[in-house]
Amino acid sequence: MTVASAVGPPVTAVVTATPEARGVVRVRVAVRGPGATEFVDEHVRVAVPVASAWARLGDVLHAESAAPWHAARLGARHPGALVVAAHHGHVCRLRVGPSGTPLVLRTARLLRGARPEVPWPVWASLAHTFLAAGLPLRGLAEVRVGTGAGAVAAAGPRPGCVAGR
């Protein structure tokens, strides 16, 4: 997968996911920013409760849930995760960073229950990479996702809110 900024100098990311166990994925994201600087982020993404035994090792945790409080509770139960996401349909609620800053990502509501073309867990991994690379989380709103050699396939989600803007 290739991710490129739609505004300003291009930021690209190549995401590779390798399954470790049921619900556990080892993720590698290589980000190239303006000026051809490159940053590589490797982390473990865990689906809960499927892989609940792995949850204490996960850098990124995610769960399917429409409850607005789910990400906050999941983050409180697993304080070692840098990114926690609860997603359902067109909305993904995240808690990011050591302070658990809330971030809401939404797709355009074209159809009831619409989901992004790129799955929410991948967006949670991109949020982890943005934090690790020191990129502003608002940049997630500017990405376009392509498959293959940079062909743009779908716009990224829009941020709903970012605490401490």
Side-chain angles (χ1 to χ4, degrees):
M1 167 189 324
T2 302
V3 179
S5 174
V7 179
V11 174
T12 61
V14 176
V15 180
T16 306
T18 306
E20 283 289 313
R22 185 171 181 229
V24 180
V25 179
R26 193 169 301 277
V27 179
R28 182 180 190 276
V29 182
V31 177
R32 179 165 290 150
T37 57
E38 189 167 295
F39 180 84
V40 176
D41 174 37
E42 294 184 357
H43 59 269
V44 175
R45 185 174 68 219
V46 179
V48 290
V50 172
S52 59
W54 282 81
R56 68 179 178 274
L57 302 174
D59 303 300
V60 175
L61 303 180
H62 68 95
E64 177 78 28
S65 175
W69 45 261
H70 196 115
R73 286 200 184 160
L74 189 57
R77 280 197 308 264
H78 303 285
L82 190 60
V83 175
V84 177
H87 48 86
H88 183 74
H90 74 282
V91 177
C92 181
R93 291 176 175 82
L94 298 107
R95 293 292 179 158
V96 294
S99 63
T101 303
L103 174 68
V104 178
L105 300 176
R106 303 173 197 280
T107 62
R109 272 195 196 193
L110 300 176
L111 299 170
R112 186 174 189 168
R115 295 177 181 273
E117 288 185 38
V118 174
W120 288 125
V122 174
W123 288 107
S125 284
L126 288 169
H128 184 280
T129 300
F130 270 55
L131 283 174
L135 298 170
L137 290 172
R138 283 184 221 105
L140 289 171
E142 299 173 358
V143 297
R144 291 194 177 271
V145 178
T147 56
V152 173
R158 303 179 277 118
C161 63
V162 178
R165 277 190 176 170

